[in-house]
């Protein structure tokens, strides 16, 4: 676990230690604090973002990946993004995988993000479509190659005007 009590889980093919990480490890130029746990539902992720913000632990660039383990509610996402209007950049990652809730979550991300000028969508799902080599047998977890593409799309979204 890291200092916040969140368990840090390495993506497939990489090993991380808790704390600050380099996006260079996954194909990008940035430093990031990763707060992850196995199987988090969107409402848990959104609550964790709010907790970190309240504690003064949220950077000006925030990357959120939700929708892999359960459906994102548009109302919940709007509420979260309303509270993040003061951040320079918020990146919402789409989720690639075989589950219906992933597709509905991606639709919610695209629909809601458009209303927030500081939000960009890192559409990993679109990039991964047709690239089975980006994921392992379960169709969700990333290979090293998928992780590099994932890192690149995040870096590009953070740097986008």
């Amino acid at each position: 676990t890291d200092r916040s009590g969140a368990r840090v889980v390495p993506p497939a093919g990489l090993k991380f230690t808790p704390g600050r990480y380099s996006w260079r490890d996954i194909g990008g130029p940035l430093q990031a604090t990763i707060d992850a746990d196995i199987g988090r539902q969107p409402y848990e992720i959104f609550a964790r973002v709010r907790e970190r913000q309240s504690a003064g632990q949220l950077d000006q660039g925030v990357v959120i990946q939700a929708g892999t383990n359960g459906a994102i509610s548009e109302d919940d996402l709007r509420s979260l993004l309303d509270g993040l209007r003061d951040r320079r950049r918020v990146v919402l990652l789409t989720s690639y995988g075989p589950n219906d809730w992933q597709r509905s979550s991606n639709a919610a991300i695209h629909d809601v993000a458009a209303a927030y000028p500081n939000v960009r969508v890192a559409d990993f799902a679109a990039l991964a479509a047709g690239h089975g080599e980006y994921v392992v047998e379960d169709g969700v977890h990333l290979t090293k190659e998928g992780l590099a593409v994932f890192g690149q799309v995040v870096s590009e979204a953070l740097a986008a005007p």
Side-chain angles (χ1 to χ4, degrees), residues 22-102:
S22 172
W23 276 108
R24 285 184 188 97
D25 294 332
I26 58 172
L30 305 172
Q31 293 291 321
T33 301
I34 298 175
D35 186 332
D37 202 354
I38 295 172
R40 273 191 186 158
Q41 296 295 310
Y43 70 89
E44 295 172 305
I45 294 166
F46 298 170
R48 189 71 189 123
V49 170
R50 287 183 182 104
E51 289 169 15
R52 292 185 68 87
Q53 186 176 23
S54 293
Q57 298 174 333
L58 205 57
D59 294 328
Q60 283 298 310
V62 180
V63 178
I64 301 168
Q65 181 183 20
T68 300
N69 296 308
I72 294 174
S73 154
E74 285 191 17
D75 288 342
D76 290 347
L77 183 56
R78 276 189 200 90
S79 176
L80 177 69
L81 295 178
D82 284 344
L84 295 175
R85 288 182 187 271
D86 65 334
R87 301 294 118 167
R88 181 187 60 78
R89 174 72 68 237
V90 177
V91 174
L92 300 175
L93 271 150
T94 59
S95 174
Y96 179 77
N99 303 301
D100 289 340
W101 67 78
Q102 289 172 291

Side-chain angles (χ1 to χ4, degrees), residues 89-160:
R89 174 72 68 237
V90 177
V91 174
L92 300 175
L93 271 150
T94 59
S95 174
Y96 179 77
N99 303 301
D100 289 340
W101 67 78
Q102 289 172 291
R103 287 182 287 284
S104 69
S105 293
N106 292 344
I109 287 169
H110 284 287
D111 292 346
V112 173
Y116 296 85
N118 65 329
V119 174
R120 300 295 179 269
V121 175
D123 199 350
F124 180 74
L127 290 173
H131 288 278
E133 70 274 16
Y134 291 176
V135 293
V136 298
E137 300 80 39
D138 66 4
V140 175
H141 293 94
L142 303 180
T143 62
K144 199 167 194 173
E145 186 174 353
L147 202 53
V149 173
F150 179 93
Q152 185 62 38
V153 74
V154 169
S155 294
E156 288 172 4
L158 279 168

